[in-house]
Every structure is written in structure tokens, then in C-alpha cells.
Amino acid sequence: MIHWLTDPFTLAFMQRALVAALLVGVVCSVLGCYVVLRSMAFLGDALAHAILPGVAIAYIFGFSLLLGALIAALVVAFGIGLVSRGGNIREDTAIGILFAAALSLGIVMISTIQTYATDLTHILFGDVLGVGPHDLELTAGLAVVVLATVLLLYKEFLVVSFDPLLARISGVSPGLVRAVMLVLLALTIVISLQTVGVGLVAAMLVTPAATASLLTKRLPAMMAVSAVVGALSSLIGLFASYYLNVASGAAIVLAATAFFVLAFILAPRRGLLWRGARGLLASSAQHG
Amino acid sequence: MKPQMTRVASGIGFQLRDVVVNYDGHVALDRVTLKVEAGGQVAVVGPNGAGKSTLFKAIAGLLPLRSGRIDLEGGPPQLRLAYVPQREEIDWRFPVSAFDVVLMGRYGRLGWLRHPQAADKQAALASLERLSMGPLADRPLAELSGGQQQRVFLARALAQEPNLLLLDEPFTGVDVSVRTSTLEVLDALRAEGVTVLVSTHDLNLASERFQQVLLLNHRVIGFGVPGEVLTAERVAEAFGVHALFVGGAIVIDQCCPPTEP
Ligand SMILES: Nc1ncnc2c1ncn2[C@@H]1O[C@H](COP(=O)(O)OP(=O)(O)OP(=O)(O)O)[C@@H](O)[C@H]1O
Ligand SMILES: [Mg+2]
């Protein structure tokens, strides 16, 4: 049993995969708390798909896919901000337009690449076993940047998310905080590219945080529980990917979903089971 | 242990001149002009949609003015504003405790990147205790009753140590005890000289407990001492219904639609 768990990690590529998967699991889940609380899931999903053209360009010209994705994500994030700024176009509409345009552009470009089929699957659904040493360095660097920013700006993120009017009165610009969050979201999506893929990043941003929200009552606890759920999901997904040879992203997301279902049923006070039991107790009390 | 009083400095006066605020083309505030003295307590009354909340947001600098100007005594650097929004504007399920919410009242004096210090936590706790919410400090906001939530937001406003306090409908949907403690806080703030604006739908409260009343329906229908502002004609003009004065109490008579001029 122990061997079954430890053996894979004698291999260098598995060690890299482990570190990358854990980093991504934690970063997605922590930032995901704000995504859930501020209802930014659609934005996250859109950003993730919108980086495809950047990846395609990077692939065609042979430079780092992550770098291409990073630039594309930042361009799209600011594009959304710019289009919806005037207030004439609602933000979700702006997201929808840019999202579809960038995704289409990405598919057109990738279709022109001869060997696109396997690479596209990797981009869409993740290939954590293929994380190279350079990718890992970039992933680790960006993960530290995102986590450090979330910690440093805890107070600002909290007040803008809970009460933007108080934030403005207190001299914290919601627009600026939002821009910072968008950049962090873009960075997070980019480092998630290789482990969960663009198709499933949104799930990693939302599912562990939603699970944690069922189990906790304060934001710091929610972030901690979310990070643990994200890390465990990544670990489970990694094993599944190694032993069953399935796409790592799908395996990780399924693991996270399993945690969510467990919490949904079993959560103290808020879970289905608890509420059901209380209903039964109440009705039996009524009947005598 | 006697709760330590939060220190609140005396108030700031301000003046609105011909203030116009629009939402997508329709006028919410129409050439509003008024002057509130430092330390004054003003009740703002008017029908639903009259622009009470809009007025507060404009004073707080949260909405752009279409035209006109708002001048603060001594200029903006002197302003320490606290604004308690109407219930509908708050996300009650957000994962924060009562204490977390009140501590946010201290953020304004911290600035970017600085975290709350022991003194800030003490001030937050003292404000909670001032509203008898000390024992519930660690309760999640979502698990408090409506009246308790109202107390938390009032406590947050006190923790801000404001010189201008804007309370948007603090008496709507609360029981007698919350109403009483809110009025006690208002009395204490009056003694400390803090300028306060309170919007309310309770005309009797406005006329009994406030030195000044602003009767608003997009424009200023009346502003001054209650006896002069809350007259039958003006109330009818603002609300479009007849007001009866029965033994000193104001009763809005809904029976007869107003005759069109
Ligand atoms: N965000 C908004 N967008 C567009 N119109 C708005 C907005 N907020 C308020 N209005 C409009 O502006 C007018 C004034 O609204 P406001 O909320 O200030 O009224 P109020 O006096 O506070 O009403 P209530 O007693 O119901 O709280 C109303 O006609 C309302 O429909
Ligand atoms: Mg209002």
C-alpha cells in the first residue's frame, strides 16, 4: 500500500507533477473563495477559454506556452474592463463577446497546426505528468505571487467584496482592487493550464471554495478549508492520472466534486442529512 | 466591566447647492439646496423613491453629481464619514462575524496594506458592547436576527468615529429595543456634537425626536424645524395623500387620492 503511494515519486517527472498539482490546487482554491463570494465564476471560465489564441501563437512560434497564455489572459482581462467600463455594455455581455471571440480565434489558429489533436487535449484537459522543469519554476513563482498578494491585500479584498461602498468611504478603490483580482485570476488560470486545462479551471476555482463555504463561517477558515480540499483533490487526481492514465484535469475536478457532494450531504447543520434528520425529529415530535 | 466609550470628535457641517443627481436620464435629486450645521441632527422623510438613499450616497461622494456642489466645512480632509446603508444593500450571507464587520469600520484610518492593530480591535469590541452586542461578537452575520444585524452596522459606524453619520432607514423593520438603543446612540452622538442624518418613514418620530426635518420628494419640499415642515399641505404635497393631525400624531390618510392640480 505504502509502495503504491510512494513509488511513483521516485520518478523526476512525478515529483514535478506533485509539486505543480499541489501548488495549483491551493492557489485555485484560495483565490476561488473570492470568485465564489463575488460571483465571478463566469468571468473565470471566460478568461480561461480566452487564453487559447495566446497559447496557439506561442505554439506556432515556439516560445513558452505559459508566457503566451499569460499575455493573452492579461489582454482579455483588461479588454473586459475596458468594454464594460463606460456602463453602456453590461459586464457579463462584455465577457460573453470577448470570450467567444478569443475562443474562436484560438480554435482557428490551432486548427492550422498539423499535430494539434493531442496538444489540444492537453491544453483543454490538462497534462500534469508532462510538466517540465521550466514550467515548474514559472508555476511556483506565479503561485507565490498570487498567494502573497491575497494575504497582503486581505483587508482590501474583504471590504471590497463585502461592502464596496464602505471600501470607497475608507479610501480603498473597488475598481483598483477589482483590477488586481483580475490579474491574479489571469495568473492563476495560466498556471492551472498544465494541470487542469482551460476547460476545467473554472471548476477548480469554484468547487473547493463552494465546498469550504458549506463547512465554515468565516473567510479565513473558508480559505484554509478550500486550500486543503484543493490540495487533496490534486493529489487524488494525480494518482488517478498516473495509474489509470486519464486526463489529470478531469480526475482532479472529479475528486473535488466528490468532496463537494460529501459536504453537501454531510455538512453539520447545513447538509442534506442534517436537515433531513431535523425534519424527521420535528415531525416525530409533532406526532407525539 | 463597563464598556469603554469610543471617542468621537465633534461634528462637521456641510452645504448642498443646487445638487442634481440623475440615473440613466431620470432625475433622482432635483436642485437640492440645504445647509446642515455641525452637530445638527436631521430627519430625512419622503415617500418611497423620493431620493433619500440617493441623497445620502451623494453626500458620501458615492454618486457623481450631474450639477451643483457639496461643500464640507473645513474641506474634505476634515471629513470622517460613516454611512449605514439600507438593509437591502447588504449581502447577509457573506462569511464574516459581527466582530469582522465592525472591525471593517476601522479600515478607513489604516490605509492600504496596514492591518488592524490591538487598538482597532479594542475600539471594535467597545462599539459592539455599546450596543449590547459584546456576547455575540463571534456570531456569523448570517446567524443574527435582523435587529441584531442592525446593531452590528450601527456599531460599525461608531467604530469609524465619524464626524458625519448617515443612517438610511435604521428604524424600518426593527423592534422596540433596537429602536430604543438606536435612539440612545443618537442622543449620545448629539451630546458629542456629531452631525447626523437619518432617513425614516416614521413622521411622528421625525417630528418628536429631531430638531430639523428635511421633507424630500426629488426636490426639497421643506427643511427646518418639524412644526414648520410637517404641515398638512406640505406632507400632502410630498406624499400625494392627505395627512391628518390627530391629537398631535400625524396620520397619513390613504382613502382619498389627491386631486390633480
Ligand atoms: N441604481 C439605480 N439605478 C437607476 N435608478 C435608481 C437607482 N437607485 C435609485 N433609482 C431611482 O432613483 C429614485 C430615488 O431612489 P432612492 O433609492 O434614492 O429613493 P428612497 O427615497 O431611498 O426610497 P425608499 O424609501 O424606497 O428607500 C427612484 O425613482 C429610483 O427608482
Ligand atoms: Mg432608500
Side-chain angles (χ1 to χ4, degrees), chain A residues 253-268:
Chain A
V253 169
L254 283 178
T257 311
F259 281 116
F260 176 78
V261 171
L262 279 179
F264 191 75
I265 296 173
L266 298 175

Side-chain angles (χ1 to χ4, degrees), chain B residues 23-24 26 28 46-55 86 168-169 201 218:
Chain B
Y23 288 111
D24 307 320
H26 66 262
N48 287 128
K52 302 181 291 296
S53 301
T54 305
L55 175 70
Q86 218 170 319
D168 203 353
E169 298 201 18
H201 287 286
H218 301 303

Side-chain angles (χ1 to χ4, degrees), chain A residues 50-131:
Chain A
I51 63 179
L52 265 186
V55 176
I57 292 174
Y59 188 92
I60 292 168
F61 293 100
F63 63 93
S64 160
L65 297 191
L66 288 189
L67 197 63
L70 181 57
I71 293 169
L74 293 177
V75 167
V76 172
F78 282 105
I80 291 168
L82 218 66
V83 172
S84 60
R85 165 158 290 174
N88 291 325
I89 301 219
R90 287 169 50 109
E91 192 186 69
D92 52 351
T93 311
I95 294 171
I97 294 169
L98 279 158
F99 167 26
L103 179 60
S104 311
L105 186 63
I107 290 175
V108 166
M109 292 168 87
I110 290 178
S111 314
T112 62
I113 306 168
Q114 289 301 307
T115 57
Y116 79 93
T118 55
D119 292 304
L120 188 63
T121 333
H122 288 165
I123 292 168
L124 285 178
F125 303 116
D127 174 28
V128 72
L129 304 185
V131 174

Side-chain angles (χ1 to χ4, degrees), chain A residues 14-15 27 32 114 125 158 163 218 261 272 278:
Chain A
M14 274 304 278
Q15 291 167 2
V27 170
Q114 289 301 307
F125 303 116
L158 173 65
D163 190 342
R218 287 188 65 228
V261 171
L272 274 185
R278 221 172 15 197

Side-chain angles (χ1 to χ4, degrees), chain A residues 155-156 163 217-219, chain B residues 95 100 111 113-114 143 156:
Chain A
K155 160 174 136 279
E156 285 76 15
D163 190 342
K217 293 171 179 176
R218 287 188 65 228
L219 186 55
Chain B
D100 293 332
L113 295 177
R114 292 210 20 234
E143 292 175 18
R156 183 176 83 175

